Amino acid sequence: MPPSSLVLPDAFVHLFDWPFARCEAELDALAAEGFTGLQVSPPQRSIDNPVWWGRYQPLDHTVLEGPLGNEADLRRLIQAAHARGLKVLVDVVLNHMAGGPHAKTLNYPRFGPEHFRPRAPIDYNDLVSIREGWLVGLPDLDTRHPHVRAEARRYLELLIDCGADGFRFDAVKHMEPEYFDAVLAGLPPDLFLYGEYIQQPGHREVMQDFLRTMALMDFPLHQSLTEALGPEGEWAPLDALAADELALPAGRSVAFVTNHDLELEQYGGFALPADGWSLAHAYTTLRLDRVPLVWMDHRHEPVLRAAMRLRGIAARHGGWETLHVSRQLLVWRCRAQRALVVFNAAPSPRHLEPAWLAGLPGWQDAVTGEGGLAVPPRQPGLFLRA
């Protein structure tokens, strides 16, 4: 059974907190590596602090200016990306506004005290509190207020006018899904939209409510990978992902190995085993029914670079077919018989079986470029046919 008949060609790299000029200088390399786009950090005017978290404390969504660059810089980046066939996603912060002195008066260029919910801590066992409390003490916008929704829409339309191809919505768990129903209604249908909803027990059905307007970061899949890479892990369920609890639905999933919050230790509970990162990179990149988001520091790793090549080949040539499924071994081959991937989660090496090679010569290891046809323990084997 193939992983999915759905083929999503996109693959994005997250250039977290990079100035727009630096992103622009990297575009040729990103295109050559097989990425179809990049994600940039929030561009709105925020607090006067160069540290990354300053970008997540907005002051004025009508002004694009800050340590990353200004509106002209963003427009220039997007124009240059489009000239190379690349898309640009923009990270968007709509849940809250900046702390500091403004939080005392709740007076901002576009908002006043009437546009905020009462100050309250968050009880993560209470959905109402999750949506109406002040996230890490930051003023929580009343996302039911018509003016708040209109300002959010104004901001998205400004970014679309700059050429943005889609958005990552920060902290969607802390907003009601009806807010996005209203704010996103009628936007261009070709935008790629996804949100950050950090998984917690009992929220599976709640997450589904957001999937009608956007994809989500696939924390369920990340958890499934973590369990599969454990000492008693099972890889067989990761082939078809038939059980709902294993992952978000095909076509509504942004697959990742790590993200900026995990890298910066903003929350815990999602740590992959240290010897499982290569398998996780290969799996999240090669599933064609999910859109991979690659952390900037990992894009040069040999396994990931090879996986990007195989993803492009499989996407252009009919996707994957499954050749073998067992507890610690999963084998996919491109339907055009030009690419082969062996996920070997076992503690011992695995030699390729002749049937997997379809009786065809010319197979090479896509990572090393050599002709060896064995897969080390706890590693993915990525092979191309010349």
Side-chain angles (χ1 to χ4, degrees), residues 13-27 30 38-43 50-52 55 65-78 80 88-89 296 299:
V13 62
H14 188 184
L15 301 184
F16 177 70
D17 209 37
W18 280 29
F20 303 139
R22 184 183 177 191
C23 293
E24 185 178 352
E26 202 73 9
L27 294 176
L30 296 180
L38 61 147
Q39 179 178 305
V40 299
S41 292
V51 181
W52 69 268
R55 312 292 71 72
E65 186 176 61
L68 306 182
N70 56 28
E71 181 175 331
D73 297 324
L74 179 60
R75 288 181 181 273
R76 185 165 51 250
L77 164 63
I78 295 174
V88 177
L89 306 181
M296 57 191 181
R299 51 182 268 245

Side-chain angles (χ1 to χ4, degrees), residues 33-300:
E33 292 163 16
F35 291 101
T36 61
L38 61 147
Q39 179 178 305
V40 299
S41 292
Q44 83 291 316
R45 176 173 286 170
S46 54
I47 60 172
D48 186 17
N49 189 323
V51 181
W52 69 268
W53 49 260
R55 312 292 71 72
Y56 291 85
Q57 296 198 31
L59 289 173
D60 189 346
H61 291 94
T62 67
V63 179
L64 306 183
E65 186 176 61
L68 306 182
N70 56 28
E71 181 175 331
D73 297 324
L74 179 60
R75 288 181 181 273
R76 185 165 51 250
L77 164 63
I78 295 174
Q79 183 177 17
H82 289 174
R84 292 162 174 81
L86 296 172
K87 300 176 182 179
V88 177
L89 306 181
V90 179
D91 199 352
V92 171
V93 183
L94 298 176
N95 173 68
H96 54 265
M97 297 297 287
H102 289 84
K104 297 178 180 179
T105 64
L106 296 182
N107 286 310
Y108 298 81
R110 304 293 300 181
F111 299 117
E114 68 275 18
H115 300 127
F116 293 88
R117 292 190 171 100
R119 180 189 295 269
I122 294 178
D123 176 1
Y124 280 90
N125 295 311
D126 185 319
L127 184 58
V128 173
S129 176
I130 290 172
R131 292 177 176 173
E132 298 187 3
W134 284 29
L135 180 62
V136 295
L138 297 173
D140 192 69
L141 284 163
D142 183 354
T143 46
R144 298 164 299 187
H145 197 292
H147 177 74
V148 172
R149 293 185 175 190
E151 287 299 304
R153 179 62 174 240
R154 181 198 300 267
Y155 179 47
L156 297 182
E157 289 177 344
L158 170 60
L159 294 173
I160 292 170
D161 186 69
C162 290
D165 300 288
F167 307 114
R168 179 256 190 195
F169 296 107
D170 183 64
V172 300
K173 179 162 70 176
H174 299 280
M175 294 170 274
E176 66 277 11
E178 294 78 11
Y179 168 74
F180 289 101
D181 292 341
V183 170
L184 302 180
L187 289 181
D190 58 346
L191 292 172
F192 182 75
L193 309 175
Y194 83 97
E196 176 208 29
Y197 197 115
I198 301 173
Q199 180 184 5
Q200 68 181 74
H203 276 229
R204 177 73 186 193
E205 291 187 8
V206 179
M207 294 173 74
Q208 298 292 323
D209 292 336
F210 290 88
L211 296 177
R212 61 178 178 251
T213 55
M214 66 182 75
L216 292 175
M217 295 185 70
D218 205 335
F219 282 93
L221 179 60
H222 193 281
Q223 188 64 35
S224 296
L225 266 174
T226 301
E227 293 172 1
L229 289 165
E232 303 300 323
E234 291 275 352
W235 270 76
L238 295 182
D239 180 44
L241 294 178
D244 288 344
E245 67 272 12
L246 291 173
L248 294 175
R252 284 310 212 189
S253 158
V254 173
F256 65 98
V257 172
T258 188
N259 60 26
H260 71 271
D261 284 318
L262 293 174
E263 289 294 307
L264 298 164
E265 299 181 343
Q266 297 302 293
Y267 50 74
F270 296 95
L272 291 166
D275 66 346
W277 281 64
S278 291
L279 281 164
H281 275 308
Y283 181 83
T284 54
T285 302
L286 292 168
R287 279 210 75 102
L288 299 179
D289 57 353
R290 331 243 134 205
V291 172
L293 180 70
V294 174
W295 178 245
M296 57 191 181
D297 292 344
H298 295 161
R299 51 182 268 245
H300 297 303

Side-chain angles (χ1 to χ4, degrees), residues 9 34 285-286 288 306-317 320:
T285 302
L286 292 168
L288 299 179
M308 285 294 298
R309 291 178 61 196
L310 267 66
R311 179 183 177 88
I313 291 170
R316 293 191 299 271
H317 296 283
W320 301 107

